[in-house]
């Protein structure tokens, strides 16, 4: 399956996430295409784990124990993630030290940082390490541990021990789900432990997470917004989250506003 989705398919996923369940005929009318075209889209997205296919319609993929395939996640909310990444990079001064952990949004942050100078970066993301090593003014340190083939992330006790050797200016983390009470959730216990170590050893913590993470199920609790200094997202969050952010002292940055 080609992991790159077209604009109709991205919008289709957004509609399903918003509505919960949508019929094939309703989607065909919305996009002004034949039902057969929609069915082909739905089969493609269901094969990638992005939606659940039922007779006559689809619903959002709601598993709390398994994330969407990494290659498919690279195709979701690409413009939104790019805006978030740019906003985070603008908040990082030259000469800073930082952690960057796993996730497609954080890889966008890595690309956005390439024009900076004299950064010291510790990461457990091999994709980011390779990307940032192209800047000769950067020092890039890769955390040791077990490499995951699906996304080239590194996790484990050795990863955590390496992180604990540092105290950096900024910790840049991602997340898979955000509850309306401010709870931050992810799918992988090992990944969460690394993120918690990053939080503990960073002077400021930046969270990059687009709107699709709000209300999304995931099994492992990372913490809540009291652990986050600034949240960078792509649109204004639901009203229910605003007092949670205020109580936690978390700054909200809506990229593009």
């Amino acid at each position: 399956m080609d992991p790159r989705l077209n604009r109709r398919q991205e919008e289709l996923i957004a509609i399903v996430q918003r509505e919960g369940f949508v019929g094939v005929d309703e989607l065909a009318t919305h996009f002004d295409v034949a039902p057969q075209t929609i069915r082909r889209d739905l089969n493609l997205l269901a094969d990638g784990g992005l939606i659940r296919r039922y007779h006559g319609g689809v619903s959002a993929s709601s598993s709390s124990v398994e994330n969407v395939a990494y290659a498919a996640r690279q195709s979701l909310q690409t413009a939104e993630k790019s805006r978030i990444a740019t906003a985070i990079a603008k908040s990082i001064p030259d000469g800073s030290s930082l952690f960057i952990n796993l996730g497609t949004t954080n890889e966008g942050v890595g690309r956005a940082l390439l024009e900076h100078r004299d950064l010291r970066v510790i990461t457990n993301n091999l994709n980011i390490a390779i990307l940032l090593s192209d800047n000769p003014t950067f020092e890039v340190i890769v955390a040791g541990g077990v490499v995951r083939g699906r996304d080239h992330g590194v996790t484990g006790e050795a990863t955590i021990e390496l992180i604990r050797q540092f105290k950096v200016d900024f910790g840049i983390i991602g997340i898979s789900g955000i509850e309306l009470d401010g709870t931050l959730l992810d799918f992988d216990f090992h990944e969460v432990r690394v993120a918690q170590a990053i939080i503990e050893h960073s002077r400021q913590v930046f969270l990059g997470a687009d709107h699709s993470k709000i209300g999304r199920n995931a099994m492992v609790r990372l913490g809540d917004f009291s652990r986050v200094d600034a949240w960078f997202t792509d649109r204004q969050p639901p009203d229910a989250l605003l007092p949670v952010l205020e109580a936690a002292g978390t700054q909200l940055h809506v990229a593009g506003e």
Side-chain angles (χ1 to χ4, degrees):
M1 183 187 75
D2 184 352
R4 312 310 298 183
L5 304 182
N6 61 40
R7 293 183 63 85
R8 182 180 67 244
Q9 291 161 351
E10 287 193 353
E11 184 179 349
L12 193 156
I13 292 171
I15 291 172
V16 173
Q17 289 177 335
R18 184 174 66 247
E19 301 296 332
F21 182 90
V22 189
V24 171
D25 292 339
E26 182 181 350
L27 290 168
T29 300
H30 175 85
F31 290 105
D32 194 23
V33 297
Q36 293 87 345
T37 300
I38 291 296
R39 290 192 183 95
R40 284 195 294 271
D41 286 343
L42 298 181
N43 288 337
L44 177 76
L45 299 175
D47 287 345
L50 301 174
I51 59 171
R52 287 187 174 186
R53 188 84 158 84
Y54 298 95
H55 179 70
V58 292
S59 72
S61 178
S62 58
S63 172
S64 65
V65 299
E66 184 176 6
N67 202 356
V68 173
Y70 180 77
R73 279 187 281 138
Q74 288 180 304
S75 302
L76 296 176
Q77 281 82 41
T78 52
E80 292 89 341
K81 291 175 182 177
S82 178
R83 293 201 304 271
I84 292 168
T86 299
I88 291 175
K90 287 181 178 178
S91 298
I92 304 293
D94 288 344
S96 298
S97 59
L98 56 151
F99 293 122
I100 308 179
N101 76 344
L102 309 181
T104 54
T105 301
N106 280 353
E107 290 184 18
V109 174
R111 285 188 290 272
L113 287 171
L114 276 173
E115 299 303 316
H116 282 53
R117 294 186 57 82
D118 302 317
L119 297 182
R120 301 296 178 264
V121 181
I122 302 101
T123 184
N124 64 323
N125 187 323
L126 296 184
N127 296 327
I128 288 176
I130 293 169
L131 176 70
L132 294 183
S133 65
D134 284 340
N135 186 317
T137 75
F138 289 1
E139 179 180 85
V140 181
I141 300 172
V142 180
V146 179
V147 179
R148 303 192 311 202
R150 67 180 183 268
D151 62 359
H152 301 145
V154 184
T155 60
E157 290 302 319
T159 314
I160 295 169
E161 284 305 311
L162 186 283
I163 288 169
R164 287 174 175 164
Q165 305 307 309
F166 296 90
K167 186 73 172 184
V168 303
D169 299 321
F170 301 96
I172 302 172
I173 64 171
I175 202 68
S176 295
I178 300 172
E179 302 252 302
L180 290 180
D181 66 358
T183 302
L184 306 176
L185 302 169
D186 221 310
F187 291 93
D188 190 309
F189 172 73
H190 301 288
E191 188 173 336
V192 164
R193 290 199 64 215
V194 173
Q196 289 170 336
I198 287 174
I199 289 170
E200 291 169 5
H201 293 267
S202 301
R203 296 183 180 91
Q204 292 189 68
V205 176
F206 290 173
L207 171 67
D210 66 75
H211 71 278
S212 70
K213 307 298 174 64
I214 299 171
R216 187 171 179 226
N217 292 332
M219 187 176 71
V220 187
R221 185 180 186 277
L222 169 65
D224 56 42
F225 274 109
S226 66
R227 312 291 302 276
V228 175
D229 294 285
W231 175 24
F232 294 78
T233 189
D234 62 301
R235 65 173 66 167
Q236 192 73 13
D239 289 344
L241 264 174
L242 298 181
V244 173
L245 296 173
E246 183 177 0
T250 303
Q251 296 179 8
L252 175 65
H253 299 271
V254 180
E257 290 189 354

